[in-house]
Amino acid sequence: MANDTTKRNIHEAYTIIKEDSLIIMEKYSYNLDYRITRTTKKGSYKIITRYYPNYSISSQYSVFAGNLIGVKRDYSEKGELQEEINYDRLLTECGDCASLFDIAENIRKDFKINIEKEDEIIRWSIEKDKILNSTVYKIVCPPKYPDGRSYRGLIYDLQTGKFIEEYKAGRFD
């Protein structure tokens, strides 16, 4: 028996590892619902599916480095779609902006950083940049060399789809 971050008791938990894939199945004693998390070892991207006690899907959503991304769908116990929230659309005011996965591919190519691994990303956020008057992704990664250098901050312009700045970042800025 263990506790999750919402302080519900985890009644049963199973972990399945195959090569780099990781599946975690948990049953909560609070209301006997289930959660299955699909990810990779050290993965920042997770697909979470929650189930009612009758095994019908309760909700399905994606999380990247602790933040909800993509579309979250909530269902009734009969399997009817109750609510759909597009977190990508909520986080940005532009209609056809680059997704976080496009940015992950570009950051891998341009900076040799794989932000999909949890040990290569400290945090990320979407912010309105006052100077650019545009919405940007701010991504903070560990230093390139582990010799006490500053964290690496990267700013990605959602409108142009380009990295526009690399800066020395603090742990919490």
Side-chain angles (χ1 to χ4, degrees):
M1 182 104 47
N3 286 328
D4 75 350
T5 56
T6 58
K7 305 298 182 222
R8 296 179 302 164
N9 288 330
I10 299 172
H11 186 66
E12 296 176 44
Y14 303 94
T15 303
I16 300 168
I17 301 170
K18 186 174 182 181
E19 297 173 10
D20 194 37
S21 297
L22 175 64
I23 297 175
I24 302 167
M25 296 183 289
E26 299 165 312
K27 180 179 179 182
Y28 296 96
S29 61
Y30 172 73
N31 59 358
L32 299 177
D33 63 336
Y34 299 85
R35 180 172 71 185
I36 295 178
T37 304
R38 291 175 174 83
T39 187
T40 58
K41 293 181 201 172
K42 293 189 177 184
S44 293
Y45 175 65
K46 296 170 177 50
I47 299 171
I48 300 171
T49 307
R50 297 189 63 110
Y51 296 88
Y52 289 108
N54 68 2
Y55 303 107
S56 64
I57 293 178
S58 159
S59 63
Q60 190 167 41
Y61 52 95
S62 299
V63 176
F64 184 80
N67 295 328
L68 285 164
I69 61 168
V71 178
K72 179 181 188 258
R73 293 180 180 90
D74 293 317
Y75 300 92
S76 71
E77 283 192 63
K78 294 180 180 179
E80 299 161 342
L81 182 64
Q82 299 290 98
E83 183 178 32
E84 187 172 271
I85 302 169
N86 186 334
Y87 284 94
D88 295 339
R89 182 102 36 226
L90 288 175
L91 292 173
T92 63
E93 72 266 359
C94 53
D96 295 320
C97 295
S99 74
L100 193 57
F101 300 107
D102 297 331
I103 295 165
E105 184 178 326
N106 290 343
I107 207 170
R108 230 182 346 263
K109 185 177 59 176
D110 295 351
F111 297 97
K112 308 294 187 257
I113 299 171
N114 183 358
I115 64 171
E116 293 180 40
K117 290 188 174 179
E118 287 187 6
D119 57 354
E120 292 195 34
I121 185 170
I122 303 297
R123 71 184 167 284
W124 70 275
S125 62
I126 297 178
E127 299 177 12
K128 181 77 171 177
D129 188 289
K130 294 175 185 169
I131 297 170
L132 296 171
N133 195 27
S134 180
T135 303
V136 297
Y137 275 105
K138 284 191 167 184
I139 302 165
V140 177
C141 300
K144 190 172 188 175
Y145 304 102
D147 59 2
R149 295 182 192 184
S150 299
Y151 289 101
R152 299 169 72 188
L154 305 166
I155 297 178
Y156 187 91
D157 187 342
L158 291 170
Q159 299 284 349
T160 63
K162 304 279 183 205
F163 285 98
I164 54 175
E165 186 178 342
E166 182 175 1
Y167 64 96
K168 290 181 181 180
R171 176 92 173 141
F172 300 106
D173 61 336

